[in-house]
Amino acid sequence: MGVNLMFNFEVAGLADEAQTKSVLSALAELLTEEGLRDHEVGLGRSIQDGRHWITGETDYPIGISRFYAWRPHFEGAFQERVRTVAPAATASINWRYMDEN
């Protein structure tokens, strides 16, 4: 069964611009591998008061088949990509289920 959803994510606690760019690249690669770049998942990086972070979000609802199996896979891969490049960073994903509205 498929699920219509939107999501956003944040990666905080990045050490510097170089680490931020590395994590951004790793996440862009993951999104491409998962076929999500075609669904307009926006990625961005910010710096404020010396703090670096990355955010991303879907621009509109996307349909995911077998979401119950895909979600743990995607969350694990997302965390692993961040942890590999930036072990001290924190990463979170927020899911919004459109079918529940």
Side-chain angles (χ1 to χ4, degrees), residues 29-88:
E29 183 178 285
L30 173 63
L31 293 172
T32 299
E33 289 171 6
E34 294 296 324
L36 293 173
R37 296 295 284 177
D38 293 337
H39 293 293
E40 301 296 326
V41 178
L43 284 169
R45 60 187 173 105
S46 298
I47 181 172
Q48 184 176 11
D49 299 328
R51 295 180 302 131
H52 296 260
W53 72 92
I54 294 169
T55 58
E57 65 184 343
T58 53
D59 290 336
Y60 50 82
I62 58 174
I64 303 289
S65 297
R66 296 178 31 99
F67 181 69
Y68 64 89
W70 179 81
R71 179 180 174 172
H73 157 77
F74 181 74
E75 289 175 339
F78 182 88
Q79 294 291 339
E80 182 61 29
R81 300 283 173 116
V82 172
R83 192 172 31 254
T84 298
V85 179

